[in-house]
Amino acid sequence: SSPDSDGCTPELEKAGLLNKTKIAEGGRKLRKNWSPSWVVLVGNSLVFFKDPKSQTPSSWKPGNSRPESSVDLRGAKLHWANELSSKKNVFKLRTVTGNEFLLQSETDSLIREWYSTIQNVIDRLDRE
Ligand code: I3S
């Protein structure tokens, strides 16, 4: 049987390095502060970790590194947002609580994959 045959462990959908900045907290605008982030899409959440490349090898232990923050995707909205940045390939994620993030990659195919994978999770949650 599969390692998660009881269905209790949320499924890992995707993980990778993206540039991230939070632009609003509870509807209040924040000053941009772009930085690379290790982004993990698991279950109903998008979880942000420190860029593993900026850590010392010994500090990077998978099961044992704490997330910097995480986002509940239920009811979230996703929009391409190239008008919000001089960078290319930018999309905006807005949570029901009014937190807004921009996510960006220099690699077109990569950012498109992230966009559609996150949108699929949002759509699945909308149907529940
Ligand atoms: O939307 P903005 O204000 O032009 O965003 C830029 C600034 O946040 C800038 O930092 P300062 O707070 O030092 O001005 C950042 O370095 C830029 O990256 C931001 O613009 P982009 O176009 O990269 O999202």
Side-chain angles (χ1 to χ4, degrees):
S1 67
S2 76
D4 185 31
S5 52
D6 62 356
C8 287
T9 310
E11 209 166 315
L12 177 74
E13 311 247 9
K14 198 170 178 56
L17 199 62
L18 293 175
N19 293 315
K20 184 197 80 170
T21 181
K22 193 172 187 180
I23 59 165
E25 165 86 42
R28 275 185 62 130
K29 197 169 181 286
L30 298 175
R31 187 162 181 179
K32 273 184 191 165
N33 182 20
W34 286 102
S35 64
S37 179
W38 183 256
V39 184
V40 178
L41 181 55
V42 58
N44 304 345
S45 300
L46 201 60
V47 188
F48 301 120
F49 294 84
K50 263 200 185 140
D51 174 5
K53 286 190 296 218
S54 72
Q55 301 185 346
T56 61
S58 60
S59 76
W60 177 243
K61 298 189 192 87
N64 148 3
S65 68
R66 264 192 306 173
E68 293 195 309
S69 61
S70 97
V71 167
D72 182 1
L73 292 175
R74 192 179 293 276
K77 302 282 185 212
L78 202 57
H79 296 284
W80 289 109
N82 286 313
E83 77 285 2
L84 294 182
S85 176
S86 62
K87 301 180 194 304
K88 68 171 191 172
N89 298 335
V90 175
F91 63 73
K92 182 171 84 170
L93 177 65
R94 185 185 194 282
T95 68
V96 282
T97 56
N99 294 341
E100 298 185 354
F101 300 85
L102 300 182
L103 293 168
Q104 188 266 347
S105 168
E106 289 301 307
T107 308
D108 300 17
S109 57
L110 203 145
I111 200 73
R112 275 192 258 109
E113 275 176 30
W114 272 103
Y115 186 96
S116 63
T117 309
I118 294 170
Q119 188 62 63
N120 285 343
V121 172
I122 293 171
D123 290 345
R124 166 169 60 73
L125 292 169
D126 280 349
R127 288 192 305 267
E128 276 179 13

